[in-house]
Amino acid sequence: MLTAARDELWTRAEALAYRLSADLGMPVRLAVTDNRSTMVSFRRGSSALQLRLHHMFLDAPEPVVRAVADYAGRGHRSAGSVLDDYIRGQQPRIRQMRRESDAELNPLGRCFDLQAMFHSVNATFFGSNIQARIGWGRMPPRRRRKSIRLGVYDHQTREIRIHPALDRPEVPAFFVEFIVFHEMLHQLFPSTGRGGRRVHHPRAFRERERTYPHYAAALRWERENLGVLLRG
Ligand SMILES: [Zn+2]
């Protein structure tokens, strides 16, 4: 995920927290994240500033660090545009880092070839217009689960990951295909709304999803076999 060594990162984070504290004259508790959607978030308390920053800010030049202090520490909303510009400028670098870390995205499972499946779903249902990479996700650590996320689509990297629990002979191909189809729909119908009211599956998404030929069968299979999938 990160190219810098962990302790080097820690040192840089400490240095940044120190600069911000000195600038603001109050303690700054800094958490460094790799969050894909929220680059800057903060809570101003009476005695300290709690700040969560994406790791791109560890290399930020002085004016950007000052803007972080103004924005999060002093409540100057106008400083937000400096942060927006910096975040936009960093996107190619962040994407590159993610490409490197995700290079191992592997579509070939024991039972299913996701790349082949993606191609045929793309040709059959999308006029081959969806552009994405696809692969099996990593097997999560064994623990008792109440739910399972069978697929995920990342808008920034255009990557689809399918849960490895589906790569088994007892899982029918039409079901895996349905999950692939569903994740591809996310590219076509991005989530709507903002903040807490985000709708991940807008109405148009749901309508199109129902046109999948084995839609009812897929939902039934999932309902009847969820227990098997949850056991991994
Ligand atoms: Zn979805």
Side-chain angles (χ1 to χ4, degrees):
M1 168 182 80
L2 301 169
T3 48
R6 196 163 270 273
D7 51 346
E8 196 222 314
L9 213 68
W10 175 249
T11 310
R12 281 155 66 203
E14 250 189 342
L16 179 58
Y18 180 82
R19 277 160 75 195
L20 290 166
S21 311
D23 188 336
L24 291 167
M26 68 154 69
V28 172
R29 279 197 261 284
L30 176 65
V32 176
T33 73
D34 191 26
N35 193 304
R36 290 181 183 208
S37 50
T38 313
M39 305 295 176
V40 180
S41 68
F42 61 90
R43 194 181 307 152
R44 256 195 310 267
S46 51
S47 58
L49 173 67
Q50 295 197 16
L51 186 59
R52 294 171 67 79
L53 286 179
H54 188 273
H55 61 77
M56 69 166 74
F57 284 96
L58 292 177
D59 305 319
E62 195 56 43
V64 175
V65 174
R66 220 163 25 235
V68 171
D70 284 342
Y71 181 75
R74 301 192 177 92
H76 296 173
R77 308 218 103 201
S78 57
S81 63
V82 177
L83 302 182
D84 287 342
D85 287 347
Y86 179 68
I87 291 166
R88 243 193 314 277
Q90 293 294 307
Q91 288 311 313
R93 205 179 124 230
I94 299 295
R95 265 198 296 275
Q96 179 60 30
M97 284 167 70
R98 281 184 188 139
R99 253 200 298 280
E100 283 163 10
S101 75
D102 292 343
E104 75 278 14
L105 193 67
N106 180 19
L108 201 59
R110 285 178 306 148
C111 303
F112 299 106
D113 179 352
L114 293 176
Q115 191 61 58
M117 206 172 251
F118 175 88
H119 274 306
S120 90
V121 171
N122 205 7
T124 309
F125 303 107
F126 297 101
S128 298
N129 282 320
I130 302 293
Q131 286 174 351
R133 300 207 305 151
I134 190 166
W136 293 100
R138 259 185 279 267
M139 197 51 127
R142 269 184 186 280
R143 61 190 164 90
R144 221 178 293 193
R145 285 175 290 202
K146 285 206 184 69
S147 68
I148 185 167
R149 218 172 165 195
L150 296 176
V152 59
Y153 173 67
D154 185 324
H155 280 279
Q156 280 178 36
T157 58
R158 296 185 163 208
E159 284 171 356
I160 295 170
R161 282 168 198 276
I162 303 298
H163 199 289
L166 294 180
D167 189 23
R168 283 192 297 210
E170 59 268 40
V171 178
F174 77 84
F175 184 72
V176 183
E177 191 187 275
F178 173 66
I179 301 300
V180 172
F181 175 74
H182 176 103
E183 298 311 326
M184 291 168 81
L185 281 176
H186 275 296
Q187 183 171 100
L188 212 53
F189 303 102
S191 51
T192 56
R194 307 202 119 247
R197 276 170 302 173
R198 206 144 254 289
V199 179
H200 284 290
H201 304 113
R203 185 201 292 262
F205 182 111
R206 288 302 191 195
E207 282 170 2
R208 182 71 176 268
E209 189 183 32
R210 277 193 288 273
T211 66
Y212 177 71
H214 305 289
Y215 178 74
L219 292 196
R220 185 168 353 105
W221 192 89
E222 180 173 2
R223 210 166 39 240
E224 287 167 1
N225 294 276
L226 194 61
V228 177
L229 296 176
L230 285 172
R231 279 195 294 277

